[in-house]
Structures are given as structure tokens and as C-alpha cells.
Amino acid sequence: GSVISGHDFDIGSPYNKAGNGNTSALGIASLTANVPAGATGMTVYVEAASYDGGSSTVMDSNMMSLQIQ
């Protein structure tokens, strides 16, 4: 795992921040990204983070693995 902004995440190093956004009142968010053709066959690990309503508390999702086809 990694510690990011003082919070323990499941995802390890190296990691890349994919973007910023907002969640709905239900905590639903989406992210769109372009995947390079050379990534075919790779596994990508994704974990989301959210700040709790203006505080400095960080919450995170479960980590997911995605197979690029």
C-alpha cells in the first residue's frame, strides 16, 4: 500500500493521480480516461479518494484491477 495525504491506501507505488471531480449526494462519481494502444494486455489498478465534506478527512474506495483489452 501507499500513504497519500496522510491516508493509507491499498494501491502501491508508483501511482498516478488520474483527475479531480465531485461526487453526487449519493457518493457517485465517474472518470473518463484515454488508454494508449500500447497498454493492451496490461493490468491497471484503480482506487478512488474523497475528502469528507470540506474537512481534511480522506475516505477511499476498494481497489479494483482492470485488464486492458
Side-chain angles (χ1 to χ4, degrees):
S2 297
V3 177
I4 306 167
S5 297
H7 183 79
D8 291 320
F9 285 85
D10 298 317
I11 204 161
S13 293
Y15 62 86
N16 291 305
K17 184 177 173 182
N20 292 322
N22 294 308
T23 60
S24 71
L26 299 175
I28 298 169
S30 64
L31 175 70
T32 302
N34 293 318
V35 179
T40 300
M42 296 179 84
T43 301
V44 177
Y45 299 91
V46 179
E47 187 171 10
S50 176
Y51 286 98
D52 182 21
S55 75
S56 61
T57 302
V58 178
M59 297 181 290
D60 66 290
S61 68
N62 293 324
M63 185 176 65
M64 297 184 343
S65 61
L66 304 172
Q67 183 71 36
I68 307 299
Q69 298 182 5

